[in-house]
Amino acid sequence: KNQVEQSPQSLIILEGKNCTLQCNYTVSPFSNLRWYKQDTGRGPVSLTIMTFSENTKSNGRYTATLDADTKQSSLHITASQLSDSASYICVVSGMYSGGGADGLTFGKGTHLIIQP
Amino acid sequence: DAGITQSPRHKVTETGTPVTLRCHQTENHRYMYWYRQDPGHGLRLIHYSYGVKDTDKGEVSDGYSVSRSKTEDFLLTLESATSSQTSVYFCAISPPGQGFNEQFFGPGTRLTVL
């Protein structure tokens, strides 16, 4: 069964510090990997998407890396801000045919709290 | 939230009553999805639609039905709500040509079944 495991489950850091969130997956064959940010009480919003041929993608202070050989991804947040407090969800897309809905596997998320 | 609205945003109902949640989009996207999000589980797909009157089941479809009579509206119905259906429900849409990969989520509906 396809699985996406995220670590840590929760993380507390001080404002201005950097942090790295991890995502390991077993989805195969692999199509792409996306990181979402979900603020409390809102829907997830996409941060980055990477295909198997990409190993890094940046979006402002967010940098995602991908190692398709080891099936691992990380999301690095630089110079954290209070607004970075949120859940971060890793989503892996497997290959699918005919537009089927079984192509996405969601991680349970990492809950990040930035303290002033 | 990418032109997606969900209604109601909050609802409290009793076990055994029917409930319908509505997702409305202004993007004219072909694909629409319903997910539920529960602590410790992450997002799980309930049903999805790939066009008007074209729908299919997801991972956790038991106890749910859907309908899509117009491109812009996707309805999720709980025929007889149970306490296990207490959850936050998210609608999502996909733009054309990108299949299942590019998704934009609505603001969510928090449903409590007593």
Side-chain angles (χ1 to χ4, degrees):
Chain A
K1 181 180 178 181
N2 290 331
Q3 290 186 314
V4 174
E5 300 289 339
Q6 292 188 243
S7 62
Q9 283 188 322
S10 61
L11 180 63
I12 302 173
I13 65 171
L14 293 175
E15 184 180 11
K17 299 296 186 181
N18 303 336
C19 67
T20 300
L21 314 181
Q22 299 290 343
C23 173
N24 296 339
Y25 62 94
T26 63
V27 178
S28 182
F30 167 80
S31 174
N32 62 69
L33 185 147
R34 181 182 296 270
W35 283 93
Y36 283 91
K37 178 187 179 189
Q38 184 176 20
D39 293 317
T40 300
R42 305 196 67 175
V45 175
S46 177
L47 291 175
T48 65
I49 180 170
M50 292 179 290
T51 65
F52 64 89
S53 61
E54 298 174 294
N55 55 27
T56 188
K57 183 72 69 77
S58 292
N59 178 357
R61 294 180 296 101
Y62 300 100
T63 299
T65 64
L66 172 65
D67 186 335
D69 291 332
T70 62
K71 294 185 169 57
Q72 295 180 324
S73 176
S74 64
L75 180 69
H76 185 75
I77 304 174
T78 303
S80 61
Q81 301 176 357
L82 297 178
S83 59
D84 293 330
S85 293
S87 288
Y88 291 84
I89 302 171
C90 176
V91 184
V92 180
S93 176
M95 294 295 182
Y96 63 94
S97 61
D102 56 353
L104 289 184
T105 304
F106 287 79
K108 297 177 182 179
T110 292
H111 186 52
L112 177 64
I113 298 173
I114 311 298
Q115 289 186 337
Chain B
D1 292 313
I4 310 169
T5 57
Q6 293 184 231
S7 58
R9 293 293 314 278
H10 302 271
K11 185 171 182 67
V12 179
T13 190
E14 294 187 347
T15 298
T17 59
V19 177
T20 296
L21 308 182
R22 180 183 183 235
C23 177
H24 178 79
Q25 61 151 326
T26 58
E27 308 296 323
N28 200 36
H29 287 343
R30 179 183 175 191
Y31 285 85
M32 298 184 75
Y33 316 83
W34 277 108
Y35 291 90
R36 60 179 290 174
Q37 187 175 41
D38 305 288
H41 284 278
L43 284 153
R44 293 181 289 175
L45 181 67
I46 304 171
H47 281 279
Y48 73 106
S49 170
Y50 45 95
V52 173
K53 297 186 180 180
D54 292 323
T55 65
D56 207 345
K57 297 179 180 179
E59 177 189 358
V60 290
S61 60
D62 287 347
Y64 302 94
S65 63
V66 291
S67 66
R68 191 170 178 196
S69 58
K70 298 184 291 185
T71 299
E72 59 266 33
D73 289 326
F74 193 31
L75 304 180
L76 176 71
T77 298
L78 291 65
E79 301 290 346
S80 178
T82 67
S83 58
S84 64
Q85 294 175 313
T86 291
S87 186
V88 181
Y89 292 86
F90 287 98
C91 174
I93 63 175
S94 285
Q98 300 199 36
F100 210 85
N101 298 327
E102 182 77 38
Q103 289 191 322
F104 300 95
F105 287 83
T109 293
R110 182 174 294 276
L111 176 67
T112 302
V113 183
L114 301 176

mmCIF file of all heavy atoms in Angstrom, chain A residues 79-108:
data_model
loop_
_atom_site.group_PDB
_atom_site.id
_atom_site.type_symbol
_atom_site.label_atom_id
_atom_site.label_comp_id
_atom_site.label_asym_id
_atom_site.label_seq_id
_atom_site.Cartn_x
_atom_site.Cartn_y
_atom_site.Cartn_z
ATOM 1 N N ALA A 79 14.633 31.491 8.223
ATOM 2 C CA ALA A 79 14.260 32.720 8.946
ATOM 3 C C ALA A 79 12.763 32.743 9.235
ATOM 4 O O ALA A 79 12.028 33.603 8.744
ATOM 5 C CB ALA A 79 14.687 33.941 8.141
ATOM 6 N N SER A 80 12.323 31.804 10.033
ATOM 7 C CA SER A 80 10.889 31.605 10.263
ATOM 8 C C SER A 80 10.211 32.873 10.790
ATOM 9 O O SER A 80 10.808 33.699 11.493
ATOM 10 C CB SER A 80 10.685 30.456 11.245
ATOM 11 O OG SER A 80 11.283 30.744 12.493
ATOM 12 N N GLN A 81 8.934 32.995 10.437
ATOM 13 C CA GLN A 81 8.088 34.097 10.874
ATOM 14 C C GLN A 81 6.869 33.529 11.582
ATOM 15 O O GLN A 81 6.513 32.372 11.389
ATOM 16 C CB GLN A 81 7.676 34.945 9.664
ATOM 17 C CG GLN A 81 8.848 35.534 8.903
ATOM 18 C CD GLN A 81 8.418 36.289 7.659
ATOM 19 O OE1 GLN A 81 7.233 36.347 7.315
ATOM 20 N NE2 GLN A 81 9.385 36.879 6.972
ATOM 21 N N LEU A 82 6.222 34.371 12.368
ATOM 22 C CA LEU A 82 5.036 33.917 13.100
ATOM 23 C C LEU A 82 3.981 33.369 12.144
ATOM 24 O O LEU A 82 3.248 32.429 12.471
ATOM 25 C CB LEU A 82 4.464 35.052 13.941
ATOM 26 C CG LEU A 82 5.368 35.595 15.051
ATOM 27 C CD1 LEU A 82 4.677 36.753 15.772
ATOM 28 C CD2 LEU A 82 5.747 34.499 16.032
ATOM 29 N N SER A 83 3.907 33.932 10.945
ATOM 30 C CA SER A 83 2.907 33.505 9.964
ATOM 31 C C SER A 83 3.201 32.113 9.386
ATOM 32 O O SER A 83 2.374 31.551 8.662
ATOM 33 C CB SER A 83 2.826 34.504 8.812
ATOM 34 O OG SER A 83 4.085 34.617 8.175
ATOM 35 N N ASP A 84 4.383 31.581 9.687
ATOM 36 C CA ASP A 84 4.699 30.218 9.234
ATOM 37 C C ASP A 84 4.040 29.165 10.110
ATOM 38 O O ASP A 84 4.055 27.973 9.767
ATOM 39 C CB ASP A 84 6.213 29.989 9.238
ATOM 40 C CG ASP A 84 6.950 30.819 8.206
ATOM 41 O OD1 ASP A 84 6.350 31.123 7.157
ATOM 42 O OD2 ASP A 84 8.118 31.182 8.454
ATOM 43 N N SER A 85 3.476 29.568 11.231
ATOM 44 C CA SER A 85 2.773 28.619 12.098
ATOM 45 C C SER A 85 1.605 28.016 11.331
ATOM 46 O O SER A 85 0.688 28.741 10.911
ATOM 47 C CB SER A 85 2.262 29.320 13.358
ATOM 48 O OG SER A 85 3.324 29.747 14.170
ATOM 49 N N ALA A 86 1.646 26.703 11.141
ATOM 50 C CA ALA A 86 0.657 26.030 10.303
ATOM 51 C C ALA A 86 0.975 24.539 10.306
ATOM 52 O O ALA A 86 1.972 24.107 10.888
ATOM 53 C CB ALA A 86 0.700 26.551 8.868
ATOM 54 N N SER A 87 0.128 23.784 9.624
ATOM 55 C CA SER A 87 0.448 22.385 9.332
ATOM 56 C C SER A 87 0.991 22.303 7.918
ATOM 57 O O SER A 87 0.501 22.993 7.021
ATOM 58 C CB SER A 87 -0.784 21.506 9.465
ATOM 59 O OG SER A 87 -1.144 21.348 10.808
ATOM 60 N N TYR A 88 1.989 21.456 7.731
ATOM 61 C CA TYR A 88 2.617 21.291 6.415
ATOM 62 C C TYR A 88 2.392 19.844 5.976
ATOM 63 O O TYR A 88 2.775 18.912 6.676
ATOM 64 C CB TYR A 88 4.095 21.648 6.485
ATOM 65 C CG TYR A 88 4.291 23.118 6.717
ATOM 66 C CD1 TYR A 88 4.256 23.641 8.012
ATOM 67 C CD2 TYR A 88 4.447 24.001 5.654
ATOM 68 C CE1 TYR A 88 4.391 25.006 8.241
ATOM 69 C CE2 TYR A 88 4.589 25.363 5.873
ATOM 70 C CZ TYR A 88 4.556 25.850 7.164
ATOM 71 O OH TYR A 88 4.679 27.198 7.383
ATOM 72 N N ILE A 89 1.772 19.703 4.825
ATOM 73 C CA ILE A 89 1.339 18.397 4.352
ATOM 74 C C ILE A 89 2.118 18.007 3.105
ATOM 75 O O ILE A 89 2.241 18.802 2.168
ATOM 76 C CB ILE A 89 -0.174 18.399 4.038
ATOM 77 C CG1 ILE A 89 -0.965 18.807 5.279
ATOM 78 C CG2 ILE A 89 -0.628 17.023 3.541
ATOM 79 C CD1 ILE A 89 -2.444 19.049 5.007
ATOM 80 N N CYS A 90 2.642 16.796 3.113
ATOM 81 C CA CYS A 90 3.352 16.239 1.959
ATOM 82 C C CYS A 90 2.364 15.354 1.190
ATOM 83 O O CYS A 90 1.666 14.526 1.793
ATOM 84 C CB CYS A 90 4.544 15.432 2.449
ATOM 85 S SG CYS A 90 5.487 14.577 1.163
ATOM 86 N N VAL A 91 2.274 15.538 -0.113
ATOM 87 C CA VAL A 91 1.356 14.774 -0.944
ATOM 88 C C VAL A 91 2.131 14.180 -2.113
ATOM 89 O O VAL A 91 2.830 14.903 -2.829
ATOM 90 C CB VAL A 91 0.219 15.661 -1.486
ATOM 91 C CG1 VAL A 91 -0.783 14.814 -2.269
ATOM 92 C CG2 VAL A 91 -0.469 16.409 -0.358
ATOM 93 N N VAL A 92 2.002 12.892 -2.293
ATOM 94 C CA VAL A 92 2.744 12.215 -3.357
ATOM 95 C C VAL A 92 1.767 11.682 -4.395
ATOM 96 O O VAL A 92 0.768 11.036 -4.048
ATOM 97 C CB VAL A 92 3.599 11.069 -2.798
ATOM 98 C CG1 VAL A 92 4.374 10.382 -3.925
ATOM 99 C CG2 VAL A 92 4.571 11.609 -1.751
ATOM 100 N N SER A 93 2.075 11.950 -5.638
ATOM 101 C CA SER A 93 1.247 11.478 -6.745
ATOM 102 C C SER A 93 1.913 10.304 -7.423
ATOM 103 O O SER A 93 3.072 10.411 -7.851
ATOM 104 C CB SER A 93 1.025 12.606 -7.730
ATOM 105 O OG SER A 93 0.305 12.138 -8.857
ATOM 106 N N GLY A 94 1.177 9.202 -7.513
ATOM 107 C CA GLY A 94 1.680 8.077 -8.272
ATOM 108 C C GLY A 94 1.183 8.158 -9.689
ATOM 109 O O GLY A 94 0.330 8.976 -10.025
ATOM 110 N N MET A 95 1.707 7.319 -10.543
ATOM 111 C CA MET A 95 1.222 7.252 -11.898
ATOM 112 C C MET A 95 -0.189 6.662 -11.894
ATOM 113 O O MET A 95 -0.486 5.769 -11.114
ATOM 114 C CB MET A 95 2.142 6.373 -12.744
ATOM 115 C CG MET A 95 3.523 6.952 -12.927
ATOM 116 S SD MET A 95 3.515 8.481 -13.847
ATOM 117 C CE MET A 95 5.271 8.827 -13.926
ATOM 118 N N TYR A 96 -1.044 7.170 -12.734
ATOM 119 C CA TYR A 96 -2.390 6.646 -12.807
ATOM 120 C C TYR A 96 -2.822 6.658 -14.256
ATOM 121 O O TYR A 96 -2.222 7.309 -15.093
ATOM 122 C CB TYR A 96 -3.361 7.469 -11.971
ATOM 123 C CG TYR A 96 -3.499 8.886 -12.453
ATOM 124 C CD1 TYR A 96 -4.518 9.251 -13.333
ATOM 125 C CD2 TYR A 96 -2.605 9.857 -12.063
ATOM 126 C CE1 TYR A 96 -4.626 10.546 -13.805
ATOM 127 C CE2 TYR A 96 -2.707 11.156 -12.525
ATOM 128 C CZ TYR A 96 -3.731 11.505 -13.389
ATOM 129 O OH TYR A 96 -3.827 12.777 -13.842
ATOM 130 N N SER A 97 -3.877 5.934 -14.561
ATOM 131 C CA SER A 97 -4.360 5.916 -15.921
ATOM 132 C C SER A 97 -5.801 6.393 -15.960
ATOM 133 O O SER A 97 -6.556 6.175 -15.017
ATOM 134 C CB SER A 97 -4.260 4.493 -16.491
ATOM 135 O OG SER A 97 -5.043 3.605 -15.745
ATOM 136 N N GLY A 98 -6.169 7.060 -17.006
ATOM 137 C CA GLY A 98 -7.547 7.494 -17.197
ATOM 138 C C GLY A 98 -8.039 8.505 -16.204
ATOM 139 O O GLY A 98 -9.242 8.657 -16.013
ATOM 140 N N GLY A 99 -7.151 9.241 -15.556
ATOM 141 C CA GLY A 99 -7.594 10.269 -14.625
ATOM 142 C C GLY A 99 -8.198 9.719 -13.363
ATOM 143 O O GLY A 99 -8.989 10.387 -12.703
ATOM 144 N N GLY A 100 -7.817 8.531 -12.974
ATOM 145 C CA GLY A 100 -8.366 7.916 -11.776
ATOM 146 C C GLY A 100 -8.033 8.676 -10.524
ATOM 147 O O GLY A 100 -7.062 9.413 -10.452
ATOM 148 N N ALA A 101 -8.852 8.500 -9.506
ATOM 149 C CA ALA A 101 -8.705 9.291 -8.289
ATOM 150 C C ALA A 101 -7.782 8.663 -7.284
ATOM 151 O O ALA A 101 -7.605 9.193 -6.205
ATOM 152 C CB ALA A 101 -10.075 9.490 -7.644
ATOM 153 N N ASP A 102 -7.169 7.552 -7.603
ATOM 154 C CA ASP A 102 -6.336 6.897 -6.597
ATOM 155 C C ASP A 102 -4.881 7.277 -6.758
ATOM 156 O O ASP A 102 -3.994 6.585 -6.316
ATOM 157 C CB ASP A 102 -6.497 5.388 -6.688
ATOM 158 C CG ASP A 102 -6.187 4.863 -8.088
ATOM 159 O OD1 ASP A 102 -5.975 5.686 -9.001
ATOM 160 O OD2 ASP A 102 -6.179 3.646 -8.263
ATOM 161 N N GLY A 103 -4.612 8.420 -7.392
ATOM 162 C CA GLY A 103 -3.241 8.795 -7.667
ATOM 163 C C GLY A 103 -2.549 9.564 -6.573
ATOM 164 O O GLY A 103 -1.352 9.741 -6.630
ATOM 165 N N LEU A 104 -3.280 10.048 -5.563
ATOM 166 C CA LEU A 104 -2.678 10.893 -4.533
ATOM 167 C C LEU A 104 -2.648 10.186 -3.189
ATOM 168 O O LEU A 104 -3.621 9.572 -2.785
ATOM 169 C CB LEU A 104 -3.457 12.195 -4.372
ATOM 170 C CG LEU A 104 -3.369 13.221 -5.490
ATOM 171 C CD1 LEU A 104 -4.138 14.470 -5.098
ATOM 172 C CD2 LEU A 104 -1.932 13.574 -5.789
ATOM 173 N N THR A 105 -1.503 10.305 -2.505
ATOM 174 C CA THR A 105 -1.375 9.815 -1.146
ATOM 175 C C THR A 105 -0.945 10.981 -0.265
ATOM 176 O O THR A 105 0.071 11.630 -0.535
ATOM 177 C CB THR A 105 -0.348 8.673 -1.054
ATOM 178 O OG1 THR A 105 -0.713 7.624 -1.968
ATOM 179 C CG2 THR A 105 -0.326 8.098 0.354
ATOM 180 N N PHE A 106 -1.724 11.234 0.782
ATOM 181 C CA PHE A 106 -1.478 12.377 1.656
ATOM 182 C C PHE A 106 -0.759 11.932 2.928
ATOM 183 O O PHE A 106 -1.117 10.911 3.529
ATOM 184 C CB PHE A 106 -2.806 13.029 2.064
ATOM 185 C CG PHE A 106 -3.479 13.801 0.974
ATOM 186 C CD1 PHE A 106 -4.212 13.157 -0.013
ATOM 187 C CD2 PHE A 106 -3.404 15.190 0.940
ATOM 188 C CE1 PHE A 106 -4.850 13.877 -1.013
ATOM 189 C CE2 PHE A 106 -4.047 15.918 -0.050
ATOM 190 C CZ PHE A 106 -4.768 15.261 -1.030
ATOM 191 N N GLY A 107 0.222 12.729 3.361
ATOM 192 C CA GLY A 107 0.787 12.532 4.680
ATOM 193 C C GLY A 107 -0.120 13.152 5.725
ATOM 194 O O GLY A 107 -1.057 13.888 5.400
ATOM 195 N N LYS A 108 0.149 12.845 6.990
ATOM 196 C CA LYS A 108 -0.690 13.358 8.065
ATOM 197 C C LYS A 108 -0.299 14.769 8.489
ATOM 198 O O LYS A 108 -1.016 15.410 9.253
ATOM 199 C CB LYS A 108 -0.636 12.416 9.264
ATOM 200 C CG LYS A 108 -1.201 11.035 8.960
ATOM 201 C CD LYS A 108 -1.073 10.103 10.151
ATOM 202 C CE LYS A 108 -1.606 8.713 9.799
ATOM 203 N NZ LYS A 108 -1.467 7.757 10.929
#
